[in-house]
Amino acid sequence: MNKVILMGRLTRDAEIRYSQGDNARAVARFSLAVDRRFQRQGEDQNTDFINCVAFGKTAEFLERFGRKGTKFVVEGRIQTGSYTNKDGQKVYTTDVVVENVEFAESKSASSGSNGGGFAPAGAPEPSGADSGFMNIPDGIEEDLPFN
């Protein structure tokens, strides 16, 4: 099984391009700064910078909301590859191919930390700082699968 789940902040705005041809698809490339849970003695770096790529609707979501400093949870798979650069040297790559992406904090929490956070329009805001519950707008109760 090849599955990875990461939580981290974008190191820069997501770079979006569109593929060529009749069925043009969005392609987003970005890097996540992921804090390590533990730090080895004598080790200076406690953050890993993970290269990620997303396609289609996921890439379009990142085009809209993928700003530097925004905290996301991404789910995907690791993919390795290689190419020969212009100097004739073989370069090996490792990327996370993102299949799902979600915000990892509210808009208000992210704006207080790095100022780059965004939340989707109409997303419920947390009801209280320590309640752990979200306010659900009136009129959508009938759409909930558990009422």
Side-chain angles (χ1 to χ4, degrees):
M1 179 186 303
N2 182 355
K3 184 168 187 126
V4 64
I5 299 172
L6 301 169
M7 181 170 61
R9 295 189 184 278
L10 266 63
T11 61
R12 62 185 182 280
D13 290 358
E15 178 185 316
I16 311 300
R17 297 193 179 175
Y18 286 86
S19 62
Q20 300 295 318
D22 294 334
N23 298 329
R25 283 177 42 173
V27 179
R29 291 197 169 274
F30 59 97
S31 178
L32 275 184
V34 179
D35 290 334
R36 292 184 188 163
R37 199 173 239 184
F38 303 103
Q39 184 175 356
R40 294 183 190 150
Q41 191 168 359
E43 192 175 68
D44 290 337
Q45 181 181 353
N46 60 354
T47 303
D48 291 305
F49 299 92
I50 313 292
N51 292 323
C52 301
V53 61
F55 301 95
K57 296 285 185 192
T58 306
E60 291 171 9
F61 174 85
L62 288 160
E63 179 177 31
R64 186 169 176 195
F65 300 110
R67 301 290 174 257
K68 178 180 178 177
T70 306
K71 192 173 191 178
F72 287 110
V73 174
V74 299
E75 176 184 353
R77 61 186 166 81
I78 295 176
Q79 181 172 297
T80 60
S82 64
Y83 64 93
T84 304
N85 68 12
K86 62 183 178 184
D87 299 329
Q89 297 174 325
K90 194 164 195 161
V91 177
Y92 295 93
T93 62
T94 302
D95 293 309
V96 171
V97 178
V98 176
E99 296 161 356
N100 187 30
V101 62
E102 297 179 21
F103 290 101
E105 63 186 2
S106 69
K107 182 177 180 181
S108 60
S110 64
S111 64
S113 58
N114 279 349
F118 292 88
E125 288 291 323
S127 62
D130 48 18
S131 73
F133 293 98
M134 300 184 107
N135 290 325
I136 298 176
D138 292 335
I140 67 166
E141 290 85 9
E142 61 273 359
D143 295 335
L144 297 176
F146 49 81
N147 40 327

